[in-house]
Amino acid sequence: MLQTHRDHATHGRRYADHSGARLWIHEGDLDAAPDADQVIHGPEPVGIGEGVTAHPLPGHTRGSVLYGLRPPSGIQRPGR
């Protein structure tokens, strides 16, 4: 479960447990999900999995994050 910011962290643990996923959040909003499995630190983009990059974008909250997804090679996108 990739938490984008504190406003959407309320049920993150329950969804992560139900689906067997890890719960991710940025340290700036950690108090909203202190039971997170993984914590993103600092202001720099960081790879968090194959094809997934976390881009911290503080603004709406101190821990706002945009997650970029890169499709696996060989996947065709419409119009290409």
Side-chain angles (χ1 to χ4, degrees), residues 18-39:
H18 179 74
S19 65
R22 291 177 291 166
L23 180 63
W24 290 78
I25 197 161
H26 189 274
E27 64 185 342
D29 287 346
L30 185 57
D31 60 327
D35 55 352
D37 301 305
Q38 301 289 323
V39 179

Side-chain angles (χ1 to χ4, degrees), residues 4-21:
T4 57
H5 62 291
R6 70 181 312 102
D7 299 357
H8 299 276
T10 305
H11 301 292
R13 174 83 275 149
R14 181 171 29 161
Y15 294 136
D17 289 346
H18 179 74
S19 65

Side-chain angles (χ1 to χ4, degrees), residues 3-8 25-30 40 42-43 54-67:
Q3 300 294 306
T4 57
H5 62 291
R6 70 181 312 102
D7 299 357
H8 299 276
I25 197 161
H26 189 274
E27 64 185 342
D29 287 346
L30 185 57
I40 300 161
H55 299 268
L57 295 171
H60 179 62
T61 69
R62 290 183 312 130
S64 291
V65 178
L66 175 134
Y67 295 95

